[in-house]
Amino acid sequence: MTDVLTSEQRSRCMAAIRGKDTRPELLVRKLLHSLGYRYCLHRSDLPGKPDLVFVRLRKVIFVHGCFWHRHNCKLGRPIPATRREFWLNKLEGNKKRDRKNRRLLKNNDWEVLTVWECQTKSKVLTRTIARIVEFLED
């Protein structure tokens, strides 16, 4: 199967994908800030540069895109039809890197929570925020 976009169009699409300040991440940040939580962003001195860092609590939150980090939901399961082997290696590498970063953080006495893109949808957002607050208050 060939790509329906030209290589230039595909390149522009891929270049537009953000690694930080994504829509789900901004939503989580806005809601937590409105609840009075303060945090640091993308601390490069921590493994994986967590999206939100609560230094005093020694807790971090990653807000992951389901596709890029291979969540087991309908958004995380598809694999592109073109360059299939490349994508399988790339996405599996992302999962391995995530596991390694979680392990390094936990070994350094940080608590880690992952919020998935699908968990920021309006249907389940209330439950997700409750889960985050419980994580932070615990």
Side-chain angles (χ1 to χ4, degrees), residues 108-133:
N108 286 302
D109 298 321
W110 287 90
E111 291 184 58
V112 181
L113 177 69
T114 300
V115 176
W116 294 97
E117 172 187 9
C118 63
Q119 296 169 336
T120 64
K121 304 298 181 195
S122 59
K123 218 178 345 181
V124 294
L125 186 58
T126 304
R127 202 171 358 166
T128 301
I129 293 301
R131 191 172 125 246
I132 295 170
V133 169

Side-chain angles (χ1 to χ4, degrees), residues 68-132:
W68 294 104
H69 298 270
R70 306 311 289 161
H71 188 228
N72 189 25
C73 71
K74 70 178 183 179
L75 300 175
R77 285 192 291 267
I79 297 171
T82 57
R83 299 183 63 210
R84 195 169 172 80
E85 189 173 330
F86 164 81
W87 283 108
L88 288 170
N89 290 333
K90 164 76 175 145
L91 299 172
E92 188 56 36
N94 289 351
K95 279 181 69 169
K96 285 180 183 176
R97 185 189 65 230
D98 292 342
R99 281 193 300 268
K100 177 184 172 195
N101 289 332
R102 286 179 68 90
R103 187 176 62 253
L104 289 170
L105 286 162
K106 287 179 179 184
N107 289 344
N108 286 302
D109 298 321
W110 287 90
E111 291 184 58
V112 181
L113 177 69
T114 300
V115 176
W116 294 97
E117 172 187 9
C118 63
Q119 296 169 336
T120 64
K121 304 298 181 195
S122 59
K123 218 178 345 181
V124 294
L125 186 58
T126 304
R127 202 171 358 166
T128 301
I129 293 301
R131 191 172 125 246
I132 295 170

